[in-house]
Amino acid sequence: MSLEYFKYKGIYFSPPSYTPESLNFAENEFQVLDDDVYNVTYPKSGTNWILEILSLIRKKGDPTWAQSVPNWLRSPWYETVEGQTQMKDVEPPRAVCSHLPHQLFAKSFFNSKAKIIYTLRNPKDVMVSLFHFSKVLCLYQDSGTFEEYLEIFLKGDVPYGSWFDHVKGWMKMKDQNNFFIITYEELLKDLRGSVVRICKFLGRDLDDTAIDSVVENSSFKAMKENTMSNYSLLPSSFMDQTKSSFYRKGISGDWKNFFTVAQSEYFDRVYQEKMKDCDIKYFWERN
């Protein structure tokens, strides 16, 4: 593919959805509102899952909105050219998506009462998901072979930069009251409990029936079948799902089907070096 990434303050981004102007606007001019909720992730870490949950919580479990409005209009990516156009139609309280690293996030956020939900995922699974996704989304250069992509990913020469830097940057906020951390694996293991925790963080009091509906309609099966959530409305020139479904497997540990033992050990060595100063132990380290 002839697609050429560009760098904004040392981080790779892809045209045409990203431009230096859109990123500068996102960082320096975008106005955060006090009742905003930001759904922040490194790509392929559960962004759309949290988006769906937030949409359903907003409507107290009623799935009508989530089943009638595309998810990118319900919760735009505010750093993109398209998202900045779409933001004007989002009524408060806004749920806004972003993959931006901490150092490029909207400066106005840090003087606001807005909240962030930050979702993490085992980086090996993230890499596998990105490897497949890069063959589908026109904004990504083709990932080449798995071995080639492993090197690119570990170096951080991918859109939004290094997974390691992204996580370490956002973990600076881990003790702040307006910052909520959850993992993809927690969502898989206990979706209902995760929804209850998110509601508590947001100050939303939903009854059991509403919680049950949020859980039912944000399941992997429900999202994969929902045309407003599975990106099937996008033209194939932008996202070609004949090569791979956007919602591919929705599991944890798929990396074991792709990494050789040597590749896994190599990844672990890089991980240990990159994360040696991080004082949080994630489940994939404990296991």
Side-chain angles (χ1 to χ4, degrees):
M1 185 180 292
S2 61
L3 176 70
E4 290 292 333
Y5 296 149
F6 68 92
K7 280 189 174 182
Y8 178 82
K9 298 189 175 180
I11 305 293
Y12 279 118
F13 293 92
S14 175
S17 285
Y18 305 85
T19 66
E21 292 76 19
S22 75
L23 294 164
N24 179 69
F25 178 85
E27 182 184 5
N28 298 302
E29 300 176 45
F30 181 80
Q31 291 303 304
V32 169
L33 305 179
D34 282 338
D35 58 358
D36 283 349
V37 177
Y38 289 83
N39 171 21
V40 181
T41 62
Y42 189 82
K44 307 310 291 181
S45 298
T47 328
N48 287 278
W49 204 348
I50 296 295
L51 189 167
E52 203 76 357
I53 289 169
L54 291 175
S55 295
L56 292 159
I57 289 175
R58 175 174 179 151
K59 299 298 183 180
K60 298 182 179 180
D62 181 353
T64 304
W65 190 47
Q67 294 173 355
S68 58
V69 177
N71 54 2
W72 63 84
L73 296 181
R74 288 181 260 134
S75 187
W77 273 255
Y78 85 98
E79 63 262 28
T80 66
V81 173
E82 299 89 348
Q84 288 169 6
T85 299
Q86 295 156 355
M87 282 299 303
K88 69 180 187 305
D89 298 319
V90 181
E91 296 181 0
R94 307 183 302 187
V96 186
C97 292
S98 179
H99 292 315
L100 286 176
H102 180 267
Q103 71 271 22
L104 299 183
F105 204 69
K107 287 184 168 59
S108 60
F109 171 84
F110 300 100
N111 295 312
S112 75
K113 297 177 182 178
K115 296 180 177 181
I116 284 177
I117 296 175
Y118 187 77
T119 310
L120 293 129
R121 187 183 187 186
N122 185 327
K124 290 180 180 177
D125 279 332
V126 169
M127 199 203 92
V128 167
S129 188
L130 276 171
F131 172 73
H132 289 283
F133 194 51
S134 65
K135 299 180 183 299
V136 173
L137 187 68
C138 74
L139 295 178
Y140 284 159
Q141 296 174 354
D142 189 277
S143 50
T145 67
F146 188 80
E147 186 173 3
E148 291 169 339
Y149 194 68
L150 175 62
E151 292 293 338
I152 294 169
F153 181 84
L154 290 176
K155 290 177 182 177
D157 290 341
V158 290
Y160 288 102
S162 162
W163 179 93
F164 307 101
D165 292 344
H166 200 281
V167 170
K168 288 189 292 184
W170 279 110
M171 287 305 103
K172 295 174 184 176
M173 292 188 63
K174 64 183 175 63
D175 297 322
Q176 298 192 23
N177 292 332
N178 65 338
F179 190 76
F180 180 86
I181 303 170
I182 195 164
T183 66
Y184 186 93
E185 293 75 17
E186 286 174 287
L187 292 165
L188 277 174
K189 184 178 180 180
D190 182 12
L191 182 54
R192 194 179 199 284
S194 298
V195 169
V196 169
R197 289 173 55 214
I198 291 170
C199 284
K200 183 177 180 181
F201 172 69
L202 298 177
R204 296 297 301 272
D205 186 18
L206 270 60
D207 62 28
D208 286 345
T209 301
I211 293 288
D212 289 342
S213 181
V214 173
V215 173
E216 178 184 352
N217 288 286
S218 63
S219 70
F220 181 80
K221 181 177 184 293
M223 290 188 294
K224 188 168 185 174
E225 293 176 352
N226 182 1
T227 57
M228 298 297 135
S229 304
N230 63 16
Y231 291 93
S232 61
L233 297 178
L234 292 176
S236 60
S237 59
F238 185 82
M239 185 182 294
D240 186 358
Q241 295 200 52
T242 63
K243 296 179 179 178
S244 178
S245 172
F246 179 82
Y247 289 109
R248 201 171 56 88
K249 290 186 178 180
I251 62 174
S252 176
D254 191 39
W255 67 267
K256 296 173 186 176
N257 297 316
F258 293 89
F259 279 74
T260 65
V261 172
Q263 288 170 339
S264 179
E265 291 175 347
Y266 172 47
F267 192 107
D268 290 344
R269 289 194 298 272
V270 174
Y271 182 98
Q272 292 299 327
E273 176 61 27
K274 297 278 190 182
M275 303 297 284
K276 63 184 178 183
D277 297 325
C278 189
D279 61 357
I280 298 177
K281 290 296 181 185
Y282 303 107
F283 88 95
W284 51 84
E285 297 174 317
R286 296 193 297 269
N287 293 345

